[in-house]
C-alpha cells in the first residue's frame, strides 16, 4: 500500500512523499463492505421499481430528475443531510481540526449558514418556478450559449468533487482494509452508478436514508472507544493544537474562506435537486433549515475524532507516527478509527465512511447527468425527443459521468487541488450569475452574463493555486510569498466584481443597442430581443418554431388549455383565479 503525502506550505498544498506499507487484504473488512454495499444496492433497486410505477403516472423525466415533485419531507431531510455530510465533509472536518484547529474548520459553520440562507432566499423562488434543474432560469433568460458556459463550470466542479471523495475513499480502504485503490474506487463507483442509473432521484433519496443511518452508527459508536483509549492523552493538554490560532495577518483570508464556503454552498445542482423535489415551496424551505441543523450536529463526531487524533500518542500504534507529522492528515479519520477502536467497531466506522462517500457520489453524478439530459441534450439539440429517448440519455449520462469521475480518481494525483480551484470558480462565477438572473433579471442580459463569467474566471485563475502548480499572475493587495501568498479576500472580491460586471455591461450593451438603428436581435447569444426587454423568445416543443411570448411576460391570465399548449416555454398560467402550475415560469 502506498500513500501519497501532501504538505501545506506557503498557503498551498505540495506533493512531498509517499509512504509504502506492505499489508495483506483484510478479509473481514471486505465481507463487511460487501454487506454494506448489498444493503444499499437492494434499497436502491427497490426504489427504482417505485420509479417505474411513478413514472407512468407523472412523466418519466420529471420523476427521474425531481422525484415527481412528491418527495416526503422526512426523506428529503435525510437526503439533504446525507448529501451535505458526505465523505469530504466528515474526512475534511477531522483532518482540519487535527491539522489547523477548530478555528480554521470553516466547512460546518459555512454550510450551516449557507443552507439557512438558501432556504430563506433561494429555495422558495426556485420551487415556486417549478424548474427541473438549476440551469433552467439561465436557459429561460439567456438562451443556450450562457447556459452551456454555466453548465461547463458546474460540470467541472461536480466531476472533481466526485473524484476527490472517491480517491479519499480508496485511501481509506487501503488503510483499514488494505484494499487496492483501483479495486476500492471501482467497487464503490459501480454500486452507486447502478442504483442511480435505474432509479435516479428516488433511488438516491432512499439510499441516502440508509447511508445516513450507517454514518450515524459508525461515527457515534466509534467515539466512546476512541476517547477512552489509553493512547489518547488528556485532550486539554493539546488544547492549543486542536483549537488552532488565527493571527491578525490572516483575518482577511479567514473571512474570505468563510464567505466562499457559505455562499458557495448554494449554487450546486445537488442542493436544488432536493429543493425542487419537494411537494411545496414551504417544504423546500423546511428541508434547507433542518438540513442545516443536521449537518452542523453531524460535524461534532468527526471533529471530536480529529481532536483525538491531534491528542493521541501515535508511537504505540501500527502506523507508528502521527499522520499530521508525516503529511498524511487526510487519513486522520480512518486511522483514528482503525487504531483506537476494537476490530468490529473499526469495521462499522469503515462502513460509515464508505456510506458517506457514496451518498455524495450518487448525488453529484445524478446532478450532472440531470442537467445534461434536460438542459443540454433536450433543450439545445432535441426538443422533440420522446420520454423514452430522454430516459435512455439519462441512463447513458449517469454511466458516462460516473465512469469519468472514477477515471479521474484513479489516475490523477492532484484531485483535491483541482476541486478547490473548481469550487472557487463555482462560487465566483455561478453564485453571482444565479443571484442576478433570479432576483433582478431586468438588469441582466446575455452580454452582461458573459462579461461577468469571463471576468470571474480570469480573476480566480489569475490568483493561482499552488496544489496544481497554477502560477500567480494577478497579485492582489498584501500578497506575500513568505506569509502564504494571497492574503487579500480575493475570492469574495472576485465574486463581487463579477456581479458588478454583469450589471454594468448589461446597461452599456442596452445603451449601445438603443443608440443603433439595427437594434440587438441576435437571439442565440442575447437570449431575448434587447430592443424590447419584455420580449421573450423560446422554441416550441413540437414544431421548433419560435414564438413571441411578450404577451405572457406580464403574467396575463390564460386558460388551462392554453397553458398546456404552451409547454417548453416556462410560463406560469392561471385559470379562473387559481394557479394552474405546470413546468413553466413567467419570463
Amino acid at each position: 500500500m502506498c500513500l501519497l503525502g501532501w504538505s501545506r506550505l506557503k498557503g498551498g498544498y505540495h506533493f512531498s512523499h509517499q509512504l509504502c506499507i506492505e499489508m495483506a487484504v483484510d478479509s473481514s473488512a471486505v465481507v463487511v463492505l460487501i454487506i454494506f454495499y448489498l444493503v444499499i444496492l437492494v434499497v436502491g433497486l427497490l426504489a427504482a421499481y417505485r420509479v417505474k410505477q411513478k413514472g407512468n403516472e407523472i412523466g418519466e423525466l420529471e420523476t427521474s430528475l425531481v422525484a415527481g415533485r412528491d418527495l416526503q419531507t422526512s426523506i428529503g431531510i435525510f437526503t439533504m443531510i446525507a448529501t451535505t455530510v458526505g465523505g469530504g465533509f466528515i474526512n475534511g472536518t477531522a483532518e482540519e481540526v487535527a491539522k489547523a484547529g477548530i478555528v480554521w474548520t470553516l466547512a460546518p459553520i459555512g454550510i450551516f449558514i449557507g443552507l439557512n440562507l438558501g432556504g430563506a432566499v433561494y429555495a422558495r423562488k426556485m420551487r415556486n418556478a417549478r424548474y427541473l434543474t438549476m440551469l433552467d432560469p439561465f436557459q429561460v433568460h439567456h438562451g443556450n450559449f450562457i447556459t452551456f458556459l454555466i453548465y461547463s463550470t458546474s460540470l467541472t466542479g461536480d466531476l472533481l468533487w466526485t473524484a476527490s471523495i472517491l480517491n479519499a475513499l480508496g485511501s481509506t480502504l487501503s488503510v483499514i482494509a488494505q484494499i487496492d485503490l483501483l479495486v476500492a474506487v471501482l467497487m464503490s463507483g459501480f454500486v452507486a452508478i447502478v442504483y442511480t442509473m435505474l432509479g435516479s432521484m428516488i433511488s438516491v433519496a432512499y439510499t441516502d436514508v440508509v447511508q445516513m443511518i450507517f454514518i450515524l452508527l459508525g461515527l457515534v459508536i466509534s467515539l466512546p472507544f476512541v476517547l477512552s483509549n489509553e493512547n489518547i492523552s488528556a485532550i486539554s493538554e493539546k488544547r492549543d493544537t486542536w483549537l488552532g490560532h488565527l493571527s491578525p495577518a490572516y483575518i482577511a483570508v479567514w473571512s474570505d474562506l468563510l464567505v466562499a464556503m457559505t455562499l458557495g454552498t448554494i449554487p450546486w445542482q445537488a442542493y436544488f435537486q432536493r429543493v425542487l423535489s419537494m411537494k411545496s415551496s414551504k417544504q423546500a424551505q423546511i428541508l434547507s433549515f433542518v438540513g442545516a441543523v443536521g449537518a452542523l450536529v453531524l460535524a461534532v463526531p468527526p471533529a471530536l475524532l480529529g481532536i483525538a487524533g491531534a491528542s493521541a500518542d501515535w508511537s504505540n500504534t501500527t502506523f507508528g507516527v502521527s499522520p499530521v507529522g508525516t503529511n498524511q492528515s487526510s487519513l486522520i479519520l480512518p486511522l483514528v478509527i482503525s487504531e483506537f477502536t476494537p476490530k468490529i467497531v473499526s469495521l462499522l466506522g469503515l462502513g460509515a465512511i464508505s456510506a458517506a462517500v457514496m451518498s455524495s457520489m450518487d448525488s453529484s453524478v445524478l446532478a450532472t447527468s440531470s442537467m445534461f439530459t434536460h438542459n443540454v441534450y433536450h433543450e439545445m439539440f432535441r426538443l422533440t425527443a420522446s420520454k423514452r429517448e430522454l430516459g435512455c440519455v439519462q441512463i447513458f449520462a449517469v454511466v458516462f459521468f460516473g465512469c469519468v469521475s472514477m477515471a479521474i480518481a484513479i489516475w490523477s494525483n492532484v484531485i483535491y487541488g483541482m476541486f478547490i480551484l473548481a469550487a472557487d470558480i463555482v462560487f465566483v462565477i455561478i453564485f453571482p450569475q444565479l443571484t442576478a438572473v433570479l432576483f433582478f433579471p431586468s438588469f441582466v442580459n446575455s452580454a452582461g452574463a458573459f462579461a461577468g463569467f469571463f471576468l470571474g474566471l480570469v480573476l480566480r485563475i489569475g490568483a493561482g493555486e499552488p496544489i496544481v502548480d497554477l502560477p500567480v499572475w494577478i497579485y492582489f493587495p498584501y500578497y506575500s510569498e513568505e506569509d502564504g501568498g494571497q492574503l487579500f479576500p480575493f475570492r469574495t472580491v472576485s465574486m463581487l466584481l463579477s456581479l458588478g460586471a454583469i450589471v454594468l455591461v448589461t446597461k452599456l450593451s442596452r445603451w449601445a443597442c438603443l443608440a443603433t438603428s439595427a437594434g440587438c436581435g441576435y437571439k442565440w447569444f442575447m437570449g431575448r430581443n434587447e430592443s424590447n426587454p419584455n420580449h421573450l423568445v423560446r422554441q416550441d416543443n413540437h414544431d421548433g418554431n419560435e414564438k413571441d411570448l411578450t404577451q405572457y411576460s406580464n403574467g396575463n391570465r390564460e386558460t388551462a388549455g392554453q397553458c398546456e399548449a404552451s409547454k417548453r416555454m416556462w410560463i406560469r398560467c392561471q385559470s379562473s383565479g387559481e394557479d394552474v402550475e405546470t413546468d413553466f415560469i413567467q419570463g
Side-chain angles (χ1 to χ4, degrees):
M1 171 186 68
C2 292
L3 308 176
L4 296 177
W6 298 88
S7 60
R8 183 165 185 165
L9 301 173
K10 294 183 178 180
Y13 293 81
H14 303 267
F15 177 75
S16 60
H17 69 285
Q18 62 178 11
L19 179 67
C20 295
I21 306 172
E22 294 297 329
M23 296 180 178
V25 174
D26 189 333
S27 57
S28 59
V30 173
V31 171
V32 169
L33 273 179
I34 291 175
I35 293 174
F36 271 66
Y37 284 179
L38 282 177
V39 171
I40 292 172
L41 183 60
V42 168
V43 171
L45 293 178
L46 290 175
Y49 175 73
R50 186 185 174 209
V51 169
K52 185 176 181 180
Q53 292 181 317
K54 201 175 189 67
N56 293 330
E57 301 170 6
I58 298 178
E60 293 181 8
L61 188 61
E62 187 173 4
T63 302
S64 175
L65 270 55
V66 291
R69 305 192 195 276
D70 193 34
L71 200 62
Q72 297 178 13
T73 304
S74 57
I75 300 298
I77 290 171
F78 268 104
T79 186
M80 177 65 81
I81 297 175
T83 300
T84 305
V85 185
F89 183 91
I90 64 173
N91 278 290
T93 299
E95 174 187 0
E96 202 64 21
V97 168
K99 181 178 65 177
I102 291 177
V103 70
W104 284 99
T105 308
L106 300 176
I109 186 66
I111 290 173
F112 172 76
I113 300 173
L115 288 180
N116 275 295
L117 182 63
V121 180
Y122 292 82
R124 188 180 189 86
K125 188 86 171 179
M126 292 288 287
R127 181 58 186 83
N128 279 343
R130 296 182 60 84
Y131 291 130
L132 285 178
T133 73
M134 180 184 72
L135 295 181
D136 281 354
F138 297 105
Q139 206 139 32
V140 171
H141 194 77
H142 296 304
N144 292 339
F145 178 63
I146 296 299
T147 301
F148 185 78
L149 291 180
I150 301 297
Y151 173 69
S152 300
T153 306
S154 180
L155 172 65
T156 303
D158 280 329
L159 287 179
L160 292 176
W161 167 241
T162 307
S164 67
I165 57 177
L166 276 175
N167 188 273
L169 175 61
S171 298
T172 298
L173 295 182
S174 66
V175 171
I176 297 182
Q178 291 77 57
I179 299 175
D180 184 74
L181 184 141
L182 174 64
V183 175
V185 170
L186 291 178
M187 180 171 61
S188 304
F190 173 77
V191 174
I193 288 174
V194 168
Y195 68 73
T196 304
M197 173 183 69
L198 296 177
S200 295
M201 185 59 204
I202 292 180
S203 283
V204 168
Y206 279 90
T207 54
D208 277 347
V209 174
V210 178
Q211 290 157 354
M212 194 72 255
I213 294 172
F214 286 166
I215 293 170
L216 280 170
L217 286 176
L219 294 182
V220 173
I221 292 176
S222 298
L223 265 178
F225 293 96
V226 170
L227 296 178
S228 62
N229 190 281
E230 60 183 9
N231 290 314
I232 305 297
S233 60
I235 290 177
S236 59
E237 296 178 3
K238 296 292 184 72
R239 182 182 303 153
D240 290 343
T241 300
W242 54 262
L243 279 179
H245 175 68
L246 177 61
S247 64
Y250 289 93
I251 290 178
V253 175
W254 185 91
S255 302
D256 189 35
L257 290 171
L258 180 61
V259 172
M261 181 61 66
T262 299
L263 301 181
T265 301
I266 298 171
W268 293 85
Q269 166 65 9
Y271 166 67
F272 284 113
Q273 195 146 25
R274 280 139 190 81
V275 166
L276 297 173
S277 297
M278 304 309 294
K279 296 179 180 180
S280 68
S281 59
K282 183 177 181 180
Q283 288 178 322
Q285 290 183 297
I286 294 173
L287 172 77
S288 298
F289 298 146
V290 179
V293 175
L296 188 62
V297 170
L298 284 177
V300 175
L304 290 175
L305 292 172
I307 291 173
S311 308
D313 179 8
W314 290 91
S315 62
N316 295 325
T317 65
T318 57
F319 200 72
V321 292
S322 170
V324 177
T326 56
N327 301 317
Q328 302 291 334
S329 57
S330 62
L331 300 174
I332 193 75
L333 182 65
L335 283 174
V336 165
I337 294 175
S338 177
E339 296 287 350
F340 304 128
T341 64
K343 181 68 174 180
I344 184 63
V345 177
S346 70
L347 293 178
L348 288 175
L350 172 65
I353 296 172
S354 302
V357 169
M358 290 180 66
S359 69
S360 295
M361 179 189 175
D362 56 22
S363 300
S364 183
V365 170
L366 177 63
T368 301
S369 60
S370 297
M371 290 186 292
F372 174 81
T373 302
H374 174 57
N375 298 103
V376 178
Y377 183 83
H378 188 202
E379 289 294 323
M380 296 184 189
F381 299 107
R382 287 279 295 168
L383 280 169
T384 57
S386 65
K387 293 180 180 180
R388 182 179 181 84
E389 180 181 346
L390 292 176
C392 292
V393 171
Q394 175 72 359
I395 291 174
F396 168 79
V398 168
V399 175
F400 177 76
F401 291 122
C403 290
V404 170
S405 298
M406 289 191 290
I408 297 173
I410 293 169
W411 283 298
S412 176
N413 291 327
V414 291
I415 297 169
Y416 183 66
M418 293 170 67
F419 169 68
I420 290 175
L421 182 61
D424 281 355
I425 292 175
V426 167
F427 163 64
V428 170
I429 293 177
I430 300 184
F431 177 75
Q433 298 277 359
L434 182 64
T435 301
V437 80
L438 282 180
F439 296 102
F440 42 95
S442 61
F443 293 93
V444 181
N445 66 13
S446 298
F450 179 77
F453 180 96
F454 182 76
L455 179 61
L457 183 65
V458 169
L459 290 174
R460 180 55 191 94
I461 293 178
E465 185 56 57
I467 192 173
V468 292
D469 295 324
L470 187 66
V472 177
W473 46 273
I474 296 180
Y475 296 88
F476 288 90
Y478 311 116
Y479 181 87
S480 172
E481 284 284 350
E482 293 75 19
D483 294 328
Q486 304 282 9
L487 300 181
F488 187 74
F490 67 92
R491 297 175 183 86
T492 303
V493 171
S494 298
M495 183 272 291
L496 293 174
L497 289 175
S498 176
L499 181 61
I502 294 172
V503 177
L504 179 61
V505 174
T506 294
K507 286 185 174 295
L508 291 176
S509 64
R510 284 180 175 168
W511 175 82
C513 288
L514 293 173
T516 60
S517 58
C520 297
Y522 191 19
K523 299 163 190 173
W524 178 78
F525 178 75
M526 304 303 289
R528 61 165 67 201
N529 189 334
E530 290 303 327
S531 61
N532 178 7
N534 291 322
H535 180 89
L536 306 181
V537 176
R538 289 290 295 172
Q539 284 186 317
D540 183 79
N541 188 36
H542 306 293
D543 56 19
N545 296 323
E546 292 182 340
K547 290 190 175 182
D548 188 337
L549 309 187
T550 307
Q551 58 179 315
Y552 304 120
S553 64
N554 295 318
N556 294 339
R557 293 180 181 276
E558 297 297 323
T559 65
Q562 287 174 312
C563 194
E564 280 298 317
S566 302
K567 285 190 176 181
R568 312 299 333 131
M569 297 180 190
W570 280 269
I571 307 167
R572 193 171 181 209
C573 301
Q574 295 178 316
S575 176
S576 303
E578 297 180 357
D579 287 348
V580 179
E581 290 194 335
T582 59
D583 291 339
F584 322 127
I585 182 174
Q586 178 181 324

